[in-house]
Each structure stands twice: as C-alpha cells, then as structure tokens.
C-alpha cells in the first residue's frame, strides 16, 4: 500500500508541477494598466501557483532525496529532507489538486 501511495503522490506531483509552471508563465502581475485590486489578485494567483509548483517539485524530488547522505548540513537542507513516505493525507491532497486541474482541462476542451 505504501508503494501505491508513493506512486500516486509522485504522478500527482508531476501533474501539479506541469500545470503550475504553465500558469506561472501566463500570469503577469506586473503588466501595465492593472488597477490595484486586479494587481493584488494577480500577485496572489502567482504566489499560489508558485507554491503549488514548489510542492509538485518536492513530490518529484522526495524519492531521490531519501537516498542522499544525511550528513549534509546547511540552513535550508533539513527543511528539504523528507523524513517519511507520503501519508494518505499527503497523497489525497496532491491527488485532489491534480484531479481539479484535470477537470479544468477536460472542461476547456
């Protein structure tokens, strides 16, 4: 069961990363002519897709990071090292986002 969760989590992460990078490319919060409210909305949208891209990339990298030596030090390194395999909660969260993205793509044609 753990292997299935890891596979679903990894595939969901790949799907989320691809869509997030696509959306980030099209989001332009600094374009001229936006009113303050529109600019704030565009900035928040870009931030949301940025964090989803980071999460998707983390889901892709996590299986490889587990095999790196644990002695590596640094300020951010302990935050990047996965300490466990994805739980059912982690997998359901990633899969939920992936299904919503897929649904939107099907709806758009």
């Amino acid at each position: 069961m753990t292997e299935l969760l890891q596979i679903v989590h990894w595939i969901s992460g790949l799907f989320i990363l691809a869509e997030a990078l696509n959306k980030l490319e099209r989001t332009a919060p600094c374009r001229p002519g936006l009113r303050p409210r529109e600019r704030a909305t565009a900035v928040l949208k870009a931030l949301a897709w940025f964090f989803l891209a980071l999460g998707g990339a983390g889901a892709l990298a996590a299986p490889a990071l587990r095999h790196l030596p644990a002695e590596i030090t640094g300020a951010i390194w302990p935050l990047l090292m996965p300490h466990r395999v994805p739980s059912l909660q982690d997998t359901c969260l990633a899969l939920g986002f992936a299904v919503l993205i897929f649904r939107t793509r099907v709806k758009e044609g």
Side-chain angles (χ1 to χ4, degrees), residues 2 7 13 18 25-26 28 37 40 45 48-50 54 60 70 74-75 78 91:
T2 303
I7 292 169
E25 182 183 22
R26 296 186 304 173
R37 185 181 185 121
K45 182 178 178 180
W49 285 114
F50 172 75
L54 282 179
L60 290 179
T91 305

Side-chain angles (χ1 to χ4, degrees), residues 8-23 48-57 59-60 90-102:
V8 170
H9 191 257
W10 191 87
I11 291 171
S12 298
L14 176 66
F15 202 71
I16 290 168
L17 177 62
E19 183 68 15
L21 291 176
N22 180 35
K23 295 288 187 177
W49 285 114
F50 172 75
F51 287 124
L52 281 171
L54 282 179
L60 290 179
D90 298 332
T91 305
C92 287
L93 186 63
L95 185 60
F97 274 115
V99 168
L100 286 173
I101 291 167
F102 183 73

Side-chain angles (χ1 to χ4, degrees), residues 76-87:
I76 197 165
W77 187 254
L79 299 175
L80 296 176
M81 288 300 291
H83 298 288
R84 58 180 170 73
V85 296
S87 66

